[in-house]
Amino acid sequence: MQTEPAAIAFCREVLPAVSRTFALNIPVLPRPLDTAVMVAYLLCRIADTLEDEAHGPASEVLLAELARLSTLPAGWEADARRFSEEGARVLRTQAPEAEVRLVAGTARVLEALALHAVPVREHVASCVATMTKGMGKMGDKGRASGGGLGLASLEETLEYCYYVAGTVGEMLTRLFQWYSPAIAERAAALEPRAVAFGNALQLTNILKDVREDLERGSCWLPKTLLAEHGLTPEALLEPGNRGEAMKAHGQMVAVAHRELRKAFEYVMALPGQERGIRLFCLWPLFLAVMTLRKLYGNAAVLERRAVKVSRRTVKWVVASTRLLVGQDAALKLMFSTLTAPLPR
C-alpha cells in the first residue's frame, strides 16, 4: 500500500479540528477530487483566520502574500516557511489553537497543493486571489474599528458573503467540472447558481453566530434592515429590543432561505451518477436548512445559549440523503417539506 505524502497527511489531520462539516463530507468525494477540495478549503480557512484573528495592516499584508503564494511562484518554499511563522505570530492570543496550528502549517498546505494537477492549482489560486482581494476591499466595514458595526445594506452583506463563501462555490464548480465530464456538460445550469450555494451557507453561519460576532466586535447584518425596526447593531442584544430584533433576524432568515432554494437547484443540476459529489453538497445544504429551522423565531440566538443542530439531526441528514441521493423527486419532497416553516 502506497504511503500518503506527509503534506496530505498533515491536511487530513488538521481538517477535523477546523471544520467538522468538511471533515464529514470531503471523504465522500472521489479521488483525487477529495484531496483537491481539502487543500483548497484549508487555504481558504487560512485566509479566513487571518481576516478574523489578525486585524489591521498585518492582516492585509498577509492576505496579499497568501494570494501570491497560492500561485506557487518560483522560490515559494522559503517564502511559505516565513509566511507560516509570521502568520502564527500575529494572530491574537485568543485565536483557537487549531486555527493557529493551521496558519503555522501554511507551508505544508501549499506543499500539498503543489502535488495536484495544474488545473486544480489554477482554480484554487484564482479563488484565493478573489477571496483575499475581497477581504481587503471589505476591510473592517463590519467591525467597530471600521467606523461602526454592521454593513451598510443587504447588497453589502451579500457582497461580503460572496467574497468569503460565494467564491468557494465558484471554485468547487470548476473543480467538479475538471473531475467529471458529465458535470462539465451541465455548466450552464450550475454556474449561475454556484455563488448562491456558498452564500446560503455563509448567511446561515452569520445568523447562527450573530451574538458571538457582536461580542467579538463584528456584525455582518445590514444596517438598513435593522433601521427599519428602530435598531442599530450596537443595540441589537439589548433585552428591551428583543421583539424587533427577532423580526429583523427573521427577515434575514428569509434571505438565507431564498439562497438555499437556489443552492438546492444547484445540487439537483449535478448528475445523479456522481453520488459522492451530490452527497458532499447535500449534507451542508440540509444541515443549513435544519439550522435555519432552529434559528427562526428562537430568541436564544441573541442570548448566551448556543443554538445548533443536534448530533441526532446530523446523523438523520446523513442517513436520509445517502438513501435518497439519486432520487430527485424524493429529494425535492424532502427539501420542500423541511423548508415549509421558513419565511419567504
Side-chain angles (χ1 to χ4, degrees), residues 211-212 215 237 242 298-307:
R211 182 180 185 105
E212 181 181 342
E215 290 178 342
L237 299 182
R242 194 65 85 236
N298 185 355
V301 73
L302 301 178
E303 298 166 3
R304 293 190 179 276
R305 303 195 301 274
V307 178

Side-chain angles (χ1 to χ4, degrees), residues 4-123:
E4 190 170 62
I8 298 291
F10 169 79
C11 292
R12 288 198 194 280
E13 182 185 348
V14 76
L15 178 64
V18 295
S19 175
R20 285 180 295 179
T21 298
F22 277 89
L24 175 71
N25 68 347
I26 283 177
V28 301
L29 290 171
R31 293 192 173 187
L33 185 60
D34 60 339
T35 56
V37 171
M38 175 176 66
V39 171
Y41 170 76
L42 289 176
L43 284 171
C44 292
R45 187 57 184 261
I46 290 167
D48 190 54
T49 299
L50 291 171
E51 197 242 355
D52 283 345
E53 307 291 351
H55 301 164
S59 173
E60 295 179 22
V61 171
L62 287 167
L63 286 170
E65 178 66 358
L66 180 64
R68 186 185 75 84
L69 288 172
S70 295
T71 66
L72 302 177
W76 66 267
E77 294 92 341
D79 291 344
R81 287 192 291 271
R82 286 192 290 271
F83 176 95
S84 299
E85 295 171 3
E86 176 66 9
R89 187 183 65 79
V90 302
L91 298 180
R92 66 191 184 105
T93 55
Q94 301 95 327
E97 182 180 345
E99 295 186 8
V100 175
R101 185 181 178 218
L102 173 60
V103 173
T106 300
R108 303 180 79 177
V109 180
L110 289 167
E111 182 184 344
L113 176 65
L115 297 173
H116 287 82
V118 171
V120 170
R121 301 201 301 262
E122 291 175 345
H123 294 324

Side-chain angles (χ1 to χ4, degrees), residues 182-239:
I183 291 179
E185 291 176 1
R186 302 194 179 188
L190 291 165
E191 290 176 357
R193 297 169 173 85
V195 170
F197 183 79
N199 282 3
L201 303 184
Q202 184 63 27
L203 281 168
T204 301
N205 285 335
I206 287 173
L207 292 167
K208 176 174 65 72
D209 298 334
V210 61
R211 182 180 185 105
E212 181 181 342
D213 285 342
L214 283 165
E215 290 178 342
R216 286 162 52 95
S218 303
C219 182
W220 309 109
L221 300 176
K223 295 182 197 177
T224 48
L225 184 145
L226 296 179
E228 291 174 11
H229 298 273
L231 299 169
T232 63
E234 292 81 358
L236 193 59
L237 299 182
E238 293 178 8

